């Protein structure tokens, strides 16, 4: 047998080599894409952790801790699931006071209670008129903002707890100057003014106004332009808080790390909080409110019974005692929607 024939026979009788399977382009592409996404996710996770770490350092380095902000002795029982956070807007200005009534030791120009319900489906922000005539523990009847002048945050917290019979879980104090820098850090905010007015060289129309920091500061301070004084002033402050929330949740903010960093820096520079309100606590609270939108923020004012004059001749705002008692019950039972339906503003 010739060598050529032998080679041919060997080839015919040999076990055929297995055929190579065709690649499946879609499957290969899918695997490659998933691999890429895993890599991108890892990079994003690293960048996010570094960024959040920077925010935490910025927040913790900038903020001041309010020492002993809560009163000693008997206090209302803690809420179950809900959170009550007292927001104090203080004013440290000395030479640019348009009201001319700066109290010794400072004053609280803005007092708000943020009620975060247990179901985290919204936030209720209540303004407390600064001239509300209330019982200040250890001092007797006085305007509620006098509590800050006499005893700072601790006495303010005690006065509000005494008034509403609800426990304050956290407290945050921000200087008015911070409102200006917060606004500029967001690139401006849009506020809906209930009426037109002029203040501090700025003109505001009824309806939407786009404000920079200086205009926002004048907006939240002004009261002399209004016949009802602080009544419109607190509505403007509520509009500003809504504008800040809109700005923080805007796509142009949440997709802009630099803007977020600027906002945190601007806020923390003027912010003082109780030591329990850490960055991690805020992140946890923010995560629990991740489904909340600006439309889920409800703003209102603690019920009043008109204005009057104190025994010493001061202009005061009378508290609607019966309505506040029912408000207290609603806060304790975490049923603000029903209370607001029964007490429309």
């Amino acid at each position: 047998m010739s060598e050529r024939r032998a080679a041919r026979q060997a080839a015919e009788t040999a076990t055929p080599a297995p055929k190579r399977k065709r690649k499946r382009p879609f499957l290969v592409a899918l695997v490659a894409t998933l691999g890429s996404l895993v890599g991108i996710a890892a990079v994003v996770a690293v960048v996010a952790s570094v960024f959040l770490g920077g925010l935490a350092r910025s927040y913790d380095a900038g903020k001041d801790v309010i020492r002993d902000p809560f009163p000693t002795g008997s206090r209302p029982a803690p809420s179950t699931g809900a959170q009550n956070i007292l927001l104090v807007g203080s004013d440290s200005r000395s030479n640019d006071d348009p009201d001319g009534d700066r109290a010794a030791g400072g004053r609280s120009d803005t007092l708000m209670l943020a009620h975060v319900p247990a179901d985290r489906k919204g936030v209720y922000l209540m303004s407390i008129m600064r001239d509300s005539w209330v019982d200040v523990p250890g001092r007797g009847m006085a305007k509620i903002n006098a509590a800050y002048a006499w005893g700072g945050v601790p006495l303010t917290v005690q006065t509000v707890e005494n008034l509403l019979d609800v426990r304050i879980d956290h407290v945050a104090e921000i200087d008015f100057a911070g409102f200006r820098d917060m606004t500029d850090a967001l690139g401006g905010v849009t506020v809906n003014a209930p009426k037109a007015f002029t203040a501090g060289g700025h003109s505001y129309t009824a309806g939407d106004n786009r404000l920079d920091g200086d205009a926002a500061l004048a907006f939240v301070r002004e009261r002399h332009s209004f016949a009802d004084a602080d009544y419109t002033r607190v509505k403007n402050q509520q509009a500003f808080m809504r504008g800040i929330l809109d700005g923080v949740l805007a796509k142009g903010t949440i997709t802009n790390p630099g803007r977020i960093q600027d906002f945190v820096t601007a806020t923390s520079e003027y912010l003082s909080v109780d030591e329990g309100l850490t960055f991690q606590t805020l992140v946890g609270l923010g995560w629990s409110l991740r489904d909340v939108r600006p439309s889920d923020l409800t703003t209102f004012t603690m019920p009043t019974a008109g204005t009057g004059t104190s025994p010493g001749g001061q202009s005061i705002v009378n508290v609607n005692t019966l309505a506040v008692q029912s408000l207290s019950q609603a806060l304790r039972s975490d049923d603000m929607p029903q209370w607001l339906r029964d007490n429309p503003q």
Side-chain angles (χ1 to χ4, degrees), residues 5-66:
R5 180 179 294 179
R8 185 168 56 247
Q9 288 179 348
E12 290 173 352
T13 58
T15 302
K19 293 182 180 180
R20 180 177 296 177
K21 294 182 179 179
R22 290 183 57 199
K23 291 182 178 180
R24 299 180 182 178
F26 174 76
L27 183 59
V28 173
L30 178 60
V31 172
T33 301
L34 289 175
S36 298
L37 287 176
V38 170
I40 292 171
V43 172
V44 170
V46 171
V47 171
S49 64
V50 171
F51 177 62
L52 286 175
L55 286 181
R57 288 190 296 274
S58 173
Y59 176 82
D60 290 332
K63 71 179 178 64
D64 291 323
V65 174
I66 305 172

Side-chain angles (χ1 to χ4, degrees), residues 27-309:
L27 183 59
V28 173
L30 178 60
V31 172
T33 301
L34 289 175
S36 298
L37 287 176
V38 170
I40 292 171
V43 172
V44 170
V46 171
V47 171
S49 64
V50 171
F51 177 62
L52 286 175
L55 286 181
R57 288 190 296 274
S58 173
Y59 176 82
D60 290 332
K63 71 179 178 64
D64 291 323
V65 174
I66 305 172
R67 302 297 177 187
D68 302 320
F70 302 110
T72 58
S74 178
R75 298 181 63 197
S79 303
T80 303
Q83 291 274 298
N84 294 306
I85 304 171
L86 188 64
L87 308 176
V88 181
S90 61
D91 211 339
S92 61
R93 60 194 169 172
S94 57
N95 298 320
D96 59 342
D97 184 355
D99 295 337
D101 59 355
R102 185 169 186 265
R107 66 179 182 187
S108 58
D109 266 4
T110 303
L111 200 58
M112 293 181 171
L113 180 73
H115 177 77
V116 184
D119 62 16
R120 300 299 195 260
K121 291 183 178 180
V123 176
Y124 299 89
L125 189 62
M126 181 182 74
S127 295
I128 301 175
M129 303 280 285
R130 68 176 191 171
D131 290 343
S132 297
W133 193 247
V134 301
D135 180 28
V136 178
R139 295 281 187 162
M141 297 300 293
K143 294 182 180 182
I144 196 167
N145 72 332
Y148 185 88
W150 288 331
V153 170
L155 186 57
T156 301
V157 170
Q158 187 177 16
T159 301
V160 173
E161 287 189 340
N162 185 63
L163 173 65
L164 298 176
D165 193 25
V166 294
R167 179 181 287 251
I168 302 301
D169 299 293
H170 293 291
V171 58
E173 178 185 3
I174 187 166
D175 191 281
F176 261 36
F179 291 176
R180 176 179 55 213
D181 289 1
M182 289 162 59
T183 301
D184 286 337
L186 292 173
V189 299
T190 298
V191 300
N192 189 283
K195 58 184 66 175
F197 67 98
T198 300
H202 303 278
S203 295
Y204 309 90
T205 61
D208 286 346
N209 296 260
R210 186 69 181 176
L211 308 181
D212 63 12
D214 287 333
L217 187 57
F219 181 77
V220 298
R221 278 178 168 174
E222 182 59 22
R223 67 169 177 159
H224 293 299
S225 297
F226 317 120
D228 58 5
D230 270 352
Y231 282 92
T232 296
R233 186 177 195 245
V234 297
K235 290 180 181 177
N236 287 346
Q237 292 171 351
Q238 292 166 2
F240 172 75
M241 296 299 290
R242 186 177 294 279
I244 287 289
L245 180 60
D246 287 341
V248 170
L249 296 181
K251 183 177 180 180
T253 300
I254 61 178
T255 60
N256 187 334
R259 179 163 290 179
I260 296 174
Q261 178 73 63
D262 290 344
F263 179 75
V264 172
T265 300
T267 304
S268 60
E269 183 177 353
Y270 295 94
L271 187 67
S272 299
V273 299
D274 67 271
E275 62 180 355
L277 197 58
T278 63
F279 183 81
Q280 289 75 18
T281 300
L282 284 175
V283 169
L285 182 60
W287 178 251
S288 72
L289 293 168
R290 61 191 177 277
D291 294 327
V292 170
R293 298 295 177 264
S295 59
D296 298 318
L297 173 65
T298 301
T299 58
F300 64 105
T301 303
M302 190 185 75
T304 63
T307 58
T309 304

